Amino acid sequence: MSYSKRLFCLMVIILVTLRVFVGCHVPEEDFSDTGAVPDSYKPVVGMSFGASLPERDRPPLAAALLLTEPLTVADWNSKRCEITSGCKYGEIESGFYGSAGYSLGFAERLDLDNWTIVCPKADCQHFMENGGCPSVINGNFVLRNNRIYYPGMSTQYEAVWGEQFRYGWDKFLASVALDGTDTRMEHEFTDDGVLKNHGQGGTMYVSSEYAICSCFAMNEQGLYDVYVFVLDETGEHILFSDEMEDTPGSVGLAWSVMYNTFGDRMFLYDVNNPDSTNPHVLVEDYQVKELNIDGLPEEGAYLSDNIYRCFRANDGYYDVNLETREETKLEEAQLENSHAFVVLPNCILESTLMGYTSLPMQSNVQQNAMKLFDGQRWWDVELPEELLEVKGKYLDVEAVTSDRILFCLRDGADPMNLGHVLYQIFLGTDRPVMEYAGTVEYQELPESW
């Protein structure tokens, strides 16, 4: 099969886990972009770690990794939360939205122990609601202009869309107001009606820059029409189209989310090889470019153009030019038997507790530890007592927001467990301290899903 036929499937799935926040009504407060935060909690924008410490009490500068801008408290509407969470968290001034599978929840900034489903309907069953629950967010979303934009699930919204209903998954962009009211269909991905009335498969990924939708459907000749669409501010564009004899053999993954790889988005993009590890990126003029990361660490890396910044356990940090394969070692590893997440150019977390791939090394660790690079210095992170000795569990970075780094503690033996324990490190303090943030409780999905 030709290379063009193999490169058809940009089916971006970030159904992270089929989980739903417990609750029924959105908070009774102003959900506008100027939602108030108590004056007692107004961190100084621009404040970095150790700002009030004398120089002798600050760690030395890390010369090789040194950047000009340290990680600081930022305006609440910064894109950090969206970018670092893979669009599964969103931030307004008063709190955070979070998507866990099929439902969207909201928690006030100072109380992440209480999440409420973003649905104004009384007695709504949410994901089981035949009439269409506005909280049913399929995996990822973005906040723009006081609205939530997300991949529309037509199977859930037949009653909402009425005559506009089309069978299939993720074939249109939808939006809803921040309080769960006023659901709208924003854009349907079609090609001269080919995909309007039939469709076996379709997936979509939304971001602040664009939405990508891939669909395949059997036509009247018994062949599969395959399309990949890109929607941006200039309109809809066809990234790929083909007609194939066989059912598409693989479903692409949002690499940047599934493997906790940050920076530029990478996607699997291969039809007949579901085990393919060759990621691709979207480049100018709506083209797709293949990347070669063979032999390079995947989890916790950061991609910027052709430079792939990654961490090798018990070795150090490297910048790899993916075109020339030239490697530059930037820094030694800070801890033994640790793993690292390069979340932002000025935010690196290294710990014996980080990432699923670090679990085999935990048996050799006497006591867990964490280091945080803030763009200029490596800081020791004070871990809570319950995490110092824990084994068999690991921390994932959920998001870097305007004022904190948010983590989720997962069980290595049951990583898909519906329990969701959150920890956080607040920015702008003298020294980084990790603390318990809250627990998100979930409902079980019905067997019919």
Side-chain angles (χ1 to χ4, degrees), residues 161-177:
W161 310 126
E163 294 181 357
Q164 299 181 80
F165 172 73
R166 301 287 182 261
Y167 176 77
W169 289 71
D170 301 336
K171 289 163 57 178
F172 58 89
L173 180 66
S175 75
V176 65

Side-chain angles (χ1 to χ4, degrees), residues 187 189 208-211 229-238 282 284-286:
H187 183 85
F189 292 86
S208 57
E209 292 81 22
Y210 53 76
F229 302 98
V230 177
L231 176 68
D232 60 15
E233 60 184 8
T234 67
E236 179 186 294
H237 309 271
I238 296 180
L282 184 65
E284 294 180 356
D285 299 325
Y286 310 103

